[in-house]
Amino acid sequence: MEFQVGVIAGDGIGPEVVAEAQKVLNKVGEVFGHRFHYEAILMGGCSIDATGVPLTDEAIAAAKASDAVLMGSIGGNTQTSPWYQLPPQLRPEAGLLKLRKSLNLFANLRPAYLYEELKEACPLRDNIIGDGFDMMIMRELTGGLYFGERKTEEVDGVMTAVDTLTYNENEIRRIAKRGFDIAMKRRKKVTSVDKANVLDSSRLWRKVVEEVAKDYPEVTYEHMLVDNCAMQLVKNPGQFDVILTENMFGDILSDEASMVTGSIGMLSSASLNDTKFGLYEPSGGSAPDIAGKGIANPIATILSAAMMLRYSFDLDKEADAVEEAVRQVLKDGYRTIDIMPQKDKETVTQVGTAKMGDFICERIK
Ligand code: NAD
């Protein structure tokens, strides 16, 4: 099969890690008989330098014309880069917000997976880690408290701030469907997280999730209050498969879940709309402190490319092969600097960005 992939290399370590993900996609193409065509798209600081704005209309059109977009990361050192002297709407991050909005990316997916070999980086005790964990946080990204009306005003002589949390049933239904679809590709369990004992928006959330669940009889689902979920993530993370939740709860829980896995260089993510299209990017930033040194960990971007294979192209076998190659490379003892163990360093071999990409490619079967 042939696929059109928009590539936003971006700034800092972005181009370095994206190059490795493309290497991996090309290897997948070779082994499984597919062709990936790439179109470079400018966004972020590099777009400001070239065009004066962080995202042009042409760039949006190119992203829309792609089957999916693979992205590195954008932005620079926020203290020293001239990009941050510009008005907020012209800074690098404004490009990303505009792109997400233009593409209607309402579903954010962040996996939290604990590799046996990186257990040392997990802050939880061994008896809690057990056999490890492998969960997917599915966060609604374009509604809720962050997008509701807000104001700050004086009421009866007292400064008062109001933020509104609004969800309509359509917004809930589309994300719930996405969550159950993803569960069907995994271990078929959904934990829907809300605060239905207090919030009306959560009660509607729960009702709509129950309606959607009827269309997925193979998926087991449960409801969990957000405060309990925050506790369960550090008490028994192995119980979760897909955690489905609204914007603010997902913002907090996805960071909590990623912290228990260890390194930022391992964390992939995807943002989806209601077609097969998705934007795939590592969870970390452009890491200006290590850019250009050839030491960045490309695995988060490579795993994001694997998500693209699975969720935009329905190439599950190919995605499995990439994920297995990553597991194998860790098993074989190769580490980038960010995932080097604190002790017993002599048991592993430190490698740079390109070597890590090469070793993963070699293991794709
Ligand atoms: P960061 O994630 O770039 O870096 C935090 C720390 O993690 C640094 O020490 C960095 O070296 C390390 N790190 C990150 N990714 C790594 C990798 N793949 N391998 C090894 N180490 C890695 O966060 P920051 O320093 O706060 O932000 C830097 C820039 O990135 C800022 O301009 C910020 O706005 C931007 N940013 C962009 C995105 C995005 O493009 N989606 C996301 C977050 C931050």
Side-chain angles (χ1 to χ4, degrees), residues 338-356:
D338 57 309
I339 51 172
M340 281 296 284
Q342 296 300 312
K343 42 186 192 225
D344 303 329
K345 286 189 186 346
E346 59 291 347
T347 60
V348 297
T349 309
Q350 189 176 319
V351 295
T353 312
K355 267 275 169 268
M356 184 55 103

Side-chain angles (χ1 to χ4, degrees), residues 139-157:
R139 163 188 172 195
E140 203 289 327
L141 205 56
T142 55
L145 199 58
Y146 298 173
F147 289 85
E149 275 179 38
R150 65 189 84 252
K151 61 180 175 193
T152 304
E153 62 185 356
E154 205 174 294
V155 178
D156 298 333

